[in-house]
Amino acid sequence: MWNISSRRAMAESVVLELTVETLGAAGDGVAHHAGLRYYIADALPGDRLRVRVTGKRGDGFAAETVERLAEGPHRAKPACRHFNDCGGCAAQHLDGGYYDDWKRQKVIDALARRGLGDIEVAPLIRTAPGLRRRATFHAQHRRQNEHRRQNERSKADAFVGFQARASHRIVSIGECPLLLPALVALVEPLRGLFGGLLKPGGRAEAMLTQVLGGIDMLIIAVKSPDLDQCRQLVEFADKCDLARVSWRAQGDPDPELIVLRRPVQVDFAGTAVDLPAGGFLQPSAEGEAGLRGIVMAAMADANHIADLYAGCGALSFPLSGHARVHAVEGSAAMTAAIDRAAGRAGLAGRITSETRDLDRQPLLAKELARFDAVVFDPPRGGAKHQADALAESDVPLVVALSCNPASFARDARILIDGGYVLDGVQPLDQFLWTAHVEVAAIFRRGH
């Protein structure tokens, strides 16, 4: 009788015929054979495939399709020619209805794992493609032997794009239906830029954000730039009409300003707020508006609101139209941006800010007593310690936003165990065709 090691060795040496049974959390088709699990990209339930195993993955194996023998009923034509090579998207092969159900089910499953399977989850709200206002492109200088002739540079001196699925290999893209056209238009110029900035084989990242003043670019690289690299960046900013260029060396907490050609600002409820280099901003203005609408409707009657993990004030400024708002954020650069904007707009008396690491030092029950509503929008790890403190407080209304259903469900369980009632959950998708889904939920103190 073969043991599990023998079966695994056999699995990696042959081509298998599999029928995909389910869609996994990352968007891969999942199939089983001889007691082993296989994850197959660009596959969906009902597909019958011949696959080749490419390596170990988690509790099973990754596999690639050699031949599709039969198609499942929910396949759609991908919107991008780079799909299934570029790792930016995982689910362009799903038709709209199945895709929406898959993302909604991710939220339902996360809640069920915390014993909240009876919570009502609304239908998914999905943003449109072509509206993403920020992107981080990976870049790598082409090695010398990749040029056609020794010592001669080609027009494209660097690979620029996104990393391949489960790989550090860069897929040099020519299109991206997710992004604003102005961001995609910079890909070709960036190839030439990084060809001059980087040494052969060197890597870096370019974080691009569309703001009121144009496009803001932050370079992330191993070392700080030298004078020649700074000169190249200034020339590039002039040539491509960028608003600002900054550089952050790995390990340095603060970016270095290279050139500022125009103010870099975002508009929150008619107030222009300075955006720090690398500062948090929702991926799309449309997605931001969707989340804002949920929060504003829930807090229409609140008079004193705590905006926790406030970023640069995307919620604080709209909420200040009818309430006093205390914005708490871990980044001093972002709280400073809130203060400057509030001062310019005459809102210093309605918006206050505090720089505070809420994971290490959450607002405690006695500090929360002055607020009649709290909204929190933490990073992917969630807000466990803040949720613990809220569960011990008497705040009557809490609105939770999250980009991770798993950490949201954990925090929701804490609040419910502390006496809150969850009105319902709204999933929102502004990370189109990825495995990510955002959540908005309203909690009220039980009576």
Side-chain angles (χ1 to χ4, degrees):
M1 180 179 294
W2 290 359
N3 58 28
I4 192 72
S5 298
S6 299
R7 297 210 314 272
R8 285 176 175 170
M10 181 67 177
E12 293 188 40
S13 64
V14 299
V15 172
L16 303 173
E17 184 174 315
L18 303 174
T19 298
V20 178
E21 304 151 18
T22 59
L23 195 65
D28 295 318
V30 180
H32 293 82
H33 178 78
L36 300 177
R37 181 174 296 161
Y38 296 88
Y39 298 95
I40 311 126
D42 190 20
L44 55 116
D47 281 356
R48 188 161 57 87
L49 309 168
R50 294 179 69 241
V51 304
R52 180 182 296 108
V53 177
T54 57
K56 189 78 175 67
R57 175 178 161 184
D59 59 352
F61 293 88
E64 62 182 11
T65 300
V66 175
E67 182 182 3
R68 187 177 295 126
L69 304 173
E71 285 191 353
H74 300 293
R75 180 167 293 278
K77 182 180 179 181
C80 177
R81 60 187 166 94
H82 299 296
F83 178 67
N84 206 28
D85 186 21
C86 172
C89 292
Q92 288 189 16
H93 61 305
L94 307 181
D95 69 32
Y98 190 80
Y99 173 90
D100 290 354
D101 290 344
W102 171 61
K103 286 221 164 177
R104 178 174 177 267
Q105 191 64 44
K106 290 166 73 70
V107 179
I108 293 171
D109 292 345
L111 289 168
R113 284 191 289 269
R114 294 287 178 172
L116 301 174
D118 58 341
I119 298 296
E120 179 65 26
V121 177
L124 181 75
I125 297 174
R126 194 187 337 164
T127 59
L131 297 178
R132 284 284 299 269
R133 61 184 172 184
R134 39 179 199 94
T136 299
F137 292 117
H138 295 262
Q140 182 175 27
H141 190 285
R142 291 177 183 261
R143 296 182 182 276
Q144 191 66 51
N145 60 8
E146 290 174 338
H147 298 313
R148 290 186 175 181
R149 293 193 295 272
Q150 192 75 5
N151 299 321
E152 179 182 336
R153 292 184 183 272
S154 65
K155 290 183 179 179
D157 294 307
F159 299 107
V160 175
F162 301 112
Q163 293 187 145
R165 184 184 299 231
S167 170
H168 294 296
R169 177 177 64 86
I170 296 173
V171 178
S172 206
I173 66 167
E175 64 178 79
C176 181
L178 284 174
L179 303 180
L180 289 169
L183 300 184
V184 181
L186 275 175
V187 171
E188 188 62 32
L190 284 171
R191 292 190 176 108
L193 172 69
F194 282 110
L197 288 179
L198 301 175
K199 294 180 179 179
R203 297 176 71 103
E205 297 176 8
M207 181 186 297
L208 305 181
T209 306
Q210 178 74 56
V211 295
L212 292 178
I215 294 179
D216 181 37
M217 181 168 75
L218 171 63
I219 303 292
I220 303 170
V222 175
K223 298 180 180 179
S224 297
D226 58 30
L227 288 176
D228 182 62
Q229 289 173 317
C230 290
R231 176 189 57 77
Q232 292 181 61
L233 288 168
V234 171
E235 292 176 353
F236 184 81
D238 288 339
K239 177 182 176 182
C240 296
D241 194 29
L242 302 185
R244 178 177 64 188
V245 177
S246 308
W247 183 298
R248 187 175 70 220
Q250 291 178 5
D252 289 350
D254 300 315
E256 174 184 351
L257 177 64
I258 305 299
V259 58
L260 178 65
R261 301 177 67 248
R262 287 185 298 278
V264 175
Q265 298 179 325
V266 288
D267 182 294
F268 297 142
T271 300
V273 181
D274 301 322
L275 181 69
F280 175 76
L281 189 66
Q282 291 290 347
S284 69
E286 183 186 19
E288 179 184 287
L291 295 171
R292 181 176 64 243
I294 293 170
V295 174
M296 294 291 287
M299 296 190 164
D301 297 326
N303 295 309
H304 199 185
I305 299 168
D307 180 6
L308 309 184
Y309 304 91
C312 288
L315 296 174
S316 295
F317 287 95
L319 288 167
S320 71
H322 72 273
R324 289 179 294 143
V325 181
H326 184 57
V328 185
E329 166 58 46
S331 165
M334 287 194 270
T335 53
I338 291 174
D339 290 340
R340 286 194 302 271
R344 290 193 300 261
L347 297 171
R350 296 190 67 82
I351 299 178
T352 56
S353 76
E354 180 181 356
T355 303
R356 183 165 174 170
D357 184 341
L358 291 169
D359 294 331
R360 298 189 180 197
Q361 191 183 2
L363 266 68
L364 300 178
K366 62 181 180 180
E367 298 173 279
L368 293 165
R370 61 192 174 115
F371 302 108
D372 54 2
V374 169
V375 57
F376 65 89
D377 184 10
R380 286 189 61 78
K384 181 184 183 304
H385 299 300
Q386 188 60 69
D388 286 334
L390 282 164
E392 296 178 359
S393 78
D394 293 322
V395 176
L397 171 67
V398 174
V399 179
L401 307 179
S402 174
C403 59
N404 183 353
S407 61
F408 163 76
R410 178 202 63 207
D411 297 343
R413 178 80 267 176
I414 292 170
L415 293 175
I416 290 170
D417 289 346
Y420 282 94
V421 175
L422 176 53
D423 280 0
V425 176
Q426 176 63 68
L428 186 143
D429 183 19
Q430 58 174 327
F431 293 94
L432 195 64
W433 298 321
T434 74
H436 300 300
V437 60
E438 294 191 273
V439 174
I442 301 169
F443 297 83
R444 303 184 192 275
R445 269 288 171 200
H447 298 289

